[in-house]
Amino acid sequence: MTLAWMGTQPEEFECLRGALEAAVRQHHAGREFHAGRLDGRELVLVRCGPDAVASAITATLLIERYGATAIVATGLAAALAPGLRLGDVLLARELRQPAREDEALFVRTPAPAGRASWPTDALLGDGLAAAARAALEAERIGLAASLAAFDIGAPRLHEGLLLSDARGPGHATEARALHAAWPAALAVETGAAAIARVCDDADLPFVLLHTVARRPDGSGPAVPGRFAAEVAAPLAAAILRRWLRDGAAVEPDTPA
C-alpha cells in the first residue's frame, strides 16, 4: 500500500522530508510531492494550504497520481473543550462540518450538499493513538526546553470529535458559540472536511491528527512560527514515525 501524508505546516513537512529515503520529487498543480520510503514504508509527502479548496485538490492528486490507499492529515487546531491545553495532540475519531451563521446577514448557511459527518478509519486511528501515547512520553524529555518555553508541561492525547469550519473560530466568542452548539467537540480546524469528502467519495480510509495551537480562550503562542517549529512539528513527525515503525498500524480497514 502507499500511505500519503498531507499537512499544512512547512515545519512538519521539513521534519519528514529530511528523513525520506530514495525520495523522488515531482511538481503538480503548484504542489511539491516527495515519494519514497520512511521507516520501511512507502510514503508520499505533500504540503498544502489550510483552506478547503487546497485540501480537496491535494487529496485528489494523491489518489489519482500516486495511488494513495490511505491518507494521514496533520495540522493545527483551535481548542474548544475547556480541558485542552496548548501543545495537546488531537486524534479525530469523527469529523463534522457544522452549519454556521453569517453574523452580517443573520442567515443560517447549511453545510455543503451530501454528508456533513465522517468517521475516521478505526484501525488506522487505533494504531496512531497507540503510537501517539508512546511518542508523546518519549518526546516530552527531548523537547523539555521547548515545552517549557511555551509553558507546556506534558502534551496529552485526546480522541473524539473534531469540527471543520473554513472560517475557524475568529475569536473567543465564536469559539464559545461553537462549543455551546457542539459540546462534544474537542477543537475546530479549517480544511479537513474537504479531505474527508474526497476520501469518502473514493472509498479511501483517512485519519486526522492535529496539535492545539490556540487555547479555548482564544489565546495562542506569542511566536506561532516558533511554536510550530519547536513543538507542533517535532511532535507530529515523532508520532507518525513511531506509527510507521509499529508496522501493523498502517493497514486500513477494507471498504465495504
Side-chain angles (χ1 to χ4, degrees), residues 117-145:
S117 176
W118 303 267
T120 59
D121 187 83
L123 185 59
L124 294 178
D126 290 346
L128 193 57
R133 294 187 195 96
L136 288 176
E137 179 60 29
E139 294 301 309
R140 181 176 61 84
I141 299 172
L143 296 176

Side-chain angles (χ1 to χ4, degrees), residues 7-230:
T8 60
Q9 302 304 306
E11 297 83 2
E12 292 177 340
F13 178 75
E14 291 302 324
C15 278
L16 295 171
R17 184 185 65 83
L20 200 64
E21 299 176 354
V24 176
R25 181 178 65 181
Q26 295 180 317
H27 289 267
H28 299 296
R31 292 153 175 79
E32 187 174 282
F33 295 80
H34 291 253
R37 294 184 67 82
L38 182 63
D39 296 314
R41 298 282 174 168
E42 296 293 330
L43 185 66
V44 180
L45 306 175
V46 62
R47 185 173 72 86
C48 71
D51 62 280
V53 173
S55 296
I57 292 172
T58 304
T60 301
L61 287 169
L62 285 170
I63 296 169
E64 294 299 319
R65 285 186 174 267
Y66 291 94
T69 50
I71 290 179
V72 185
T74 64
L76 303 178
L80 299 177
L84 268 63
R85 302 183 303 212
L86 189 70
D88 281 355
V89 173
L90 311 176
L91 174 64
R93 292 294 187 167
E94 180 185 2
L95 181 73
R96 291 186 182 179
Q97 187 174 27
R100 287 292 297 269
E101 183 175 292
D102 187 299
E103 294 180 350
L105 300 178
F106 300 98
V107 174
R108 174 66 64 177
T109 303
R115 294 181 59 180
S117 176
W118 303 267
T120 59
D121 187 83
L123 185 59
L124 294 178
D126 290 346
L128 193 57
R133 294 187 195 96
L136 288 176
E137 179 60 29
E139 294 301 309
R140 181 176 61 84
I141 299 172
L143 296 176
S146 294
L147 295 175
F150 291 96
D151 195 25
I152 299 172
R156 302 166 301 169
L157 175 68
H158 303 266
E159 303 176 53
L161 174 63
L162 180 68
L163 299 184
S164 184
D165 189 317
R167 289 171 51 185
H171 43 69
T173 301
E174 289 188 350
R176 287 194 293 269
L178 276 175
H179 183 58
W182 302 90
L186 296 173
V188 59
E189 63 76 63
T190 58
I195 301 171
R197 295 187 73 188
V198 170
C199 289
D200 185 54
D201 286 348
D203 289 326
L204 196 76
F206 71 99
V207 66
L208 307 169
L209 190 74
H210 287 71
T211 304
V212 174
R214 186 185 296 182
R215 301 178 185 91
D217 64 3
S219 65
V223 186
R226 183 183 171 196
F227 172 79
E230 297 184 11

